[in-house]
Amino acid sequence: DPSYFYAADFLGRAYEQVGRKPDALAAYQQAVELDRENAENWSNLGHAYAVSGHPAQARQIINDLKATAARQYVGPYNIALIYAGLGDTDQAFAWLERAYKDGSALLILYMGNDARWDRLRADPRYASLARRIGLPPPAPGR
């Protein structure tokens, strides 16, 4: 269904995982256009900008999400994902800790199986968070 934002969102995830960054950006942009109020759509687009060499656009989305958070709830997980894409591990973990304190279901849904977290898996903070939310420890080499 071309009007269902999750279809575009998960297509973007698939493209991103196989390295088709321009296609991922296009799919995420379509998801945002289909549901501009969904912070997850914006964070996926922000992450894709970050890993595609467009850090200014990624940081702008972080700023926009933080501004939105002043008016309504924006999950810290969403902001953490963009920081992870930017390679800002300390900020990513700071926002993941906020997500943990909020009881974010996104941690359980995505942390253990989303390749976008692979860069953080070797960090001891990842293993600590995984343990606290009930995920198995990361596999060696992953």
Side-chain angles (χ1 to χ4, degrees):
D1 180 357
S3 66
Y4 186 50
F5 76 88
Y6 265 132
D9 173 64
F10 279 91
L11 181 60
R13 291 172 195 229
Y15 283 143
E16 191 172 347
Q17 190 164 357
V18 298
R20 292 176 56 180
K21 293 175 184 175
D23 293 324
L25 283 167
Y28 289 141
Q29 287 166 339
Q30 180 184 7
V32 165
E33 289 304 316
L34 291 168
D35 187 352
R36 298 188 69 75
E37 301 300 315
N38 187 311
E40 190 172 344
N41 289 340
W42 285 104
S43 67
N44 291 331
L45 179 59
H47 182 274
Y49 276 137
V51 299
S52 297
H54 304 285
Q57 289 92 329
R59 290 189 189 286
Q60 184 58 55
I61 291 174
I62 288 172
N63 292 337
D64 292 345
L65 288 173
K66 287 178 179 179
T68 299
R71 300 184 311 277
Q72 66 190 46
Y73 182 78
V74 171
Y77 177 95
N78 300 113
I79 296 171
L81 182 64
I82 304 171
Y83 279 121
L86 288 167
D88 191 337
T89 305
D90 290 337
Q91 281 296 312
F93 278 111
W95 285 91
L96 286 171
E97 286 298 327
R98 290 182 187 189
Y100 174 75
K101 289 176 184 163
D102 277 2
S104 174
L106 296 177
L107 289 171
I108 295 168
L109 287 172
Y110 298 132
M111 285 283 300
N113 59 23
D114 190 333
R116 296 177 295 179
W117 296 110
D118 284 354
R119 284 201 260 173
L120 278 65
R121 292 187 204 285
D123 191 298
R125 294 172 288 185
Y126 181 91
S128 172
L129 181 59
R131 180 184 41 75
R132 287 181 281 143
I133 63 174
L135 294 176
R142 175 149 187 222

